[in-house]
Amino acid sequence: METTYTIWQYLFTLPVHEIPWWAEVFRSILRVVIGLAFGLGLVPIYVWLERRMLGWVQGRLGPNRVGPEGLLQPIADVIKLFMKEDIIPTNVDRGLFLIAPIIALAPVIMSITVIPWNGSKSWGAVAPGLDIGILFLLGVASIEVYGVILAGWSSNNKYSLLGGLRASSQVISYELGMGLAIIAVLLMCGTLGLQDVVRGYDLRQPHEFVAGTVLNNGQGLINVLPLSGTGYTFYMLDWSSGFWDWNVFRMFPFGLIACVVYMISMIAETNRAPFDLPEAETELVAGFHTEYSGFRFGAFFMSEYANMAIVSTICVTLFFGGWLAPLGILNQVPISWIQALTQTPDSWVPWWANLINSLISALWIILKLFTLISMFILVRASYPRLRYDMLMRFGWKGLLPVALINLVLIAISLAVQHSFRDSLGTAGAWWVGQIIAWALMLAAMLVAFVSVRKSYASRQRDIASGEIPADSPIVRHPVALALPALTSTEK
Amino acid sequence: MPNFRDPSLSVMEPNVLSNSLLNSYIPVLVMGVAAIALAAALIGLNGILGPSRPNPQKLSPYECGVTPIGSARERFPIKFYLIAMLFIVFDIETVFMYPWAVTYIHSGGMMIFNLIEMLLFVGILFVGYYYVWKRGAFEWE
């Protein structure tokens, strides 16, 4: 069937499966611009918020001269960075030194690609059709480590080398806990697409609205042709769903445990206080970017803040319902209001109504994002920096087993629920599965408690028998000593 | 009305974009080009706008103002290497879990079998984990 369309129709109103590839390129460029504005345009605001909040916590003012309340300060800083000399020291490994900031910044920008800002399957993210969202995110985010370690090594500076090594081993250690926490969500939702993960929360919400043709209006953003096959989801406006459907509260407390593990890992992943050892100013000057100046330093700075925003957005998407409002009733403008306003029949809703609903979705995700960012800042203001051995021990001995056991318990609970669903119904099976999982969780906690008690008791015994002095620190053997014999390292 | 706690209902209608798989990867390509171009352009702009007045002191490695002693390419603790090796082992294990986790709630009658499979896998992993722990590989001194 040969039909001719106008450019407008190609770009905005055709159903997704009829769009030719060249129109998709233009549409992608539009979405990339939205995504970049969303991801990078907010970075100066985070910087401002952080400095003002730290000032508030520490009883001082923070930047308040440039612009209203100092809001333009980050912009002034960026302009200043552009005007600075880009120093390339003589003894650096020139090629790697020059390319490292780009390797650090580009993957962070790339990870904006899959972050959804509303439920539309064609305008809801930069790549809303990508159903491998989480895998893409993990793959791209791991590349950033290369930028850090290359910067540290190529600078040919002792501080940089130590900072780069610390940063990379910290990031890879906490990536494990993070990955396992994400797998817990995958287990509950059974999908890799980030939009589907969000929609997995509110199973009672998305459904055909009364005006079916309105739902299937092409791409959901602009209503010109009543075409079917694409989904901008209208939500039922009722009180029956809300924040209690989010993944944090799902399969209580396992969703919550996964969320806490993820949030701790994300602070460590972004090298923020209290896990900011790679950039410990007091001991390593600035860590891996000691030798960088001008906007090459700016690239590292920007990648850190953009990364902070992105891991927070992923946290919101995975655990806190993404673009959904905390109460189902706040998700969108009620369709009856729009119809009353436009005096039109059920089957037609103006494009601006869809646009307003998209903006409401964006508003919710930004609100949740800023809540998390404020948490980041308050954590930085409240906690002292960890020691490096504590950091590693916490990652490997704390988060990793907790996340792994959490995962196994979720799987067991799901399997039990599945086997009892026919005989007990969904709710009854849920309780049976959860009670079994809770019992196993208590057993695991008991085992952990007993083993800690035992090591404490053996130390007390040694002190009593005079084998070690009472005031001796808990000696932990280095690997070189521990390797020849398989002895307990606890005493 | 479906119960939201029923995990088998967690997946919504099939992805409407499945018949335009290639199209769904176009934004990734565009974003990749945009990301690299943006990062390079920002740094390039700095090269144009910023001054360039090098001198030997400015171009020497920064060691808090003191003349650098020795090479920066010193030996560093073997622990970092060990952590990298452990990471590879555990990360591969995590990667194995992804397909299992995604298909788990859709596996129907195979669910118990899948659970036992994964319990065996995690069990073997825990043996290794316990060994590494007792060997003191996670201690940092």
Side-chain angles (χ1 to χ4, degrees), chain A residues 37-93:
Chain A
F38 181 77
L40 299 183
L42 291 175
V43 167
I45 303 178
Y46 307 142
V47 179
W48 171 81
L49 186 72
E50 167 154 38
R51 295 180 66 182
R52 289 292 291 199
M53 268 182 85
L54 278 181
W56 173 65
V57 169
Q58 295 164 358
R60 55 189 173 82
L61 282 174
N64 64 346
R65 295 285 157 177
V66 192
E69 293 291 313
L71 254 173
L72 297 181
Q73 181 70 46
I75 305 202
D77 289 345
V78 167
I79 294 172
K80 186 194 74 179
L81 275 179
F82 274 126
M83 299 297 179
K84 288 287 178 186
E85 182 175 354
D86 182 10
I87 302 170
I88 302 163
T90 39
N91 60 345
V92 298
D93 190 316

Side-chain angles (χ1 to χ4, degrees), chain A residues 70-217:
Chain A
L71 254 173
L72 297 181
Q73 181 70 46
I75 305 202
D77 289 345
V78 167
I79 294 172
K80 186 194 74 179
L81 275 179
F82 274 126
M83 299 297 179
K84 288 287 178 186
E85 182 175 354
D86 182 10
I87 302 170
I88 302 163
T90 39
N91 60 345
V92 298
D93 190 316
R94 208 181 153 85
L96 294 179
F97 184 84
L98 294 185
I99 210 170
I102 300 178
I103 298 179
L105 182 56
V108 175
I109 299 176
M110 272 289 273
S111 16
I112 299 173
T113 312
V114 287
I115 290 171
W117 54 75
N118 67 45
S120 163
K121 274 288 181 191
S122 62
W123 289 96
V126 175
L130 205 64
D131 46 9
I132 54 159
I134 294 170
L135 272 188
F136 178 84
L137 210 59
L138 285 170
V140 168
S142 318
I143 300 175
E144 199 211 341
V145 186
Y146 287 99
V148 169
I149 199 162
L150 284 180
W153 187 80
S154 68
S155 291
N156 212 349
N157 177 316
K158 292 175 193 112
Y159 297 124
S160 300
L161 182 66
L162 282 175
L165 284 173
R166 279 185 179 189
S168 47
S169 51
Q170 172 180 335
V171 168
I172 60 177
S173 297
Y174 280 84
E175 207 163 284
L176 296 173
M178 192 179 213
L180 290 172
I182 290 175
I183 291 179
V185 177
L186 296 188
L187 260 183
M188 294 192 276
C189 297
T191 173
L192 281 169
L194 282 171
Q195 278 186 332
D196 294 337
V197 166
V198 173
R199 281 136 61 94
Y201 300 135
D202 58 335
L203 293 169
R204 288 185 296 178
Q205 279 189 340
H207 66 288
E208 297 291 309
F209 204 74
V210 198
T213 46
V214 177
L215 289 173
N216 299 321
N217 60 344

Side-chain angles (χ1 to χ4, degrees), chain A residues 23 50 243 338 381 458:
Chain A
E50 167 154 38
F243 62 88
I338 295 165
S458 94

Side-chain angles (χ1 to χ4, degrees), chain A residues 16-17 19 21 24-25 28-29 31-32 36 40 81-91 101-102 105-106 109-110 112-113 121 126-127 129-132 136 138 153-154 156-159 161 165-166 169 172-173 175-176 179-180 182-183 186-190 192 199-200 203-204 206 229 245 250 285 290-291 294-296 302 388-389 392-393 396-397 400-401 404-405 407-408 411-412 414-415 417-419 421 426 430 476 479 482-483 486-487 489-490, chain B residues 1-13 15-17 19-21 23-28 30-36 38-43 45-47 49-56 58-64 68-74 76-80 82-84 86-87 90-91 93-95 97-98 100-112 115 118-119 122 125-126 129 131 133-141:
Chain A
V16 175
H17 55 270
I19 295 171
W21 67 269
E24 183 62 27
V25 170
S28 303
I29 291 171
R31 290 196 303 254
V32 164
L36 286 180
L40 299 183
L81 275 179
F82 274 126
M83 299 297 179
K84 288 287 178 186
E85 182 175 354
D86 182 10
I87 302 170
I88 302 163
T90 39
N91 60 345
I102 300 178
L105 182 56
I109 299 176
M110 272 289 273
I112 299 173
T113 312
K121 274 288 181 191
V126 175
L130 205 64
D131 46 9
I132 54 159
F136 178 84
L138 285 170
W153 187 80
S154 68
N156 212 349
N157 177 316
K158 292 175 193 112
Y159 297 124
L161 182 66
L165 284 173
R166 279 185 179 189
S169 51
I172 60 177
S173 297
E175 207 163 284
L176 296 173
L180 290 172
I182 290 175
I183 291 179
L186 296 188
L187 260 183
M188 294 192 276
C189 297
L192 281 169
R199 281 136 61 94
L203 293 169
R204 288 185 296 178
D245 290 346
R250 204 149 153 188
V285 191
T290 303
E291 290 289 359
F295 208 81
R296 277 182 211 282
M302 213 165 130
Y388 203 72
D389 61 323
M392 282 300 168
R393 197 160 62 229
W396 285 95
K397 289 189 173 177
L400 183 64
L404 203 58
I405 289 171
L407 191 70
V408 170
I412 290 174
L414 283 175
Q417 284 179 46
H418 178 78
S419 0
R421 189 166 300 132
T426 315
W430 188 86
R476 305 201 179 271
V479 187
L483 273 177
L486 244 181
T487 53
T489 55
E490 293 300 325
Chain B
M1 182 161 287
N3 188 311
F4 69 98
R5 282 178 179 142
D6 182 352
S8 68
L9 292 171
S10 301
V11 172
M12 307 307 299
E13 73 273 18
N15 190 339
V16 289
L17 292 183
N19 55 352
S20 54
L21 189 66
N23 272 9
S24 69
Y25 281 87
I26 289 176
V28 178
V30 174
M31 193 60 159
V33 173
I36 293 168
L38 189 73
L42 288 174
I43 290 167
L45 194 66
N46 180 222
L49 292 178
S52 180
R53 287 187 284 276
N55 66 49
K58 202 190 269 179
L59 296 184
S60 64
Y62 178 77
E63 268 185 30
C64 304
I69 305 161
S71 163
R73 301 277 152 75
E74 290 210 13
F76 55 83
I78 188 81
K79 292 292 306 185
F80 289 109
L82 194 63
I83 288 291
L86 288 176
F87 167 73
F90 283 95
D91 202 41
E93 160 249 327
T94 315
V95 169
M97 278 187 174
Y98 273 92
W100 168 78
V102 173
T103 54
Y104 188 67
I105 60 170
H106 310 302
S107 50
M110 295 289 279
M111 208 171 202
I112 300 290
L115 175 68
M118 192 40 71
L119 285 180
V122 171
L125 186 89
F126 248 92
Y129 180 73
Y131 175 78
W133 182 318
K134 282 296 164 193
R135 276 274 167 149
F138 302 140
E139 304 299 337
W140 195 284
E141 276 299 324

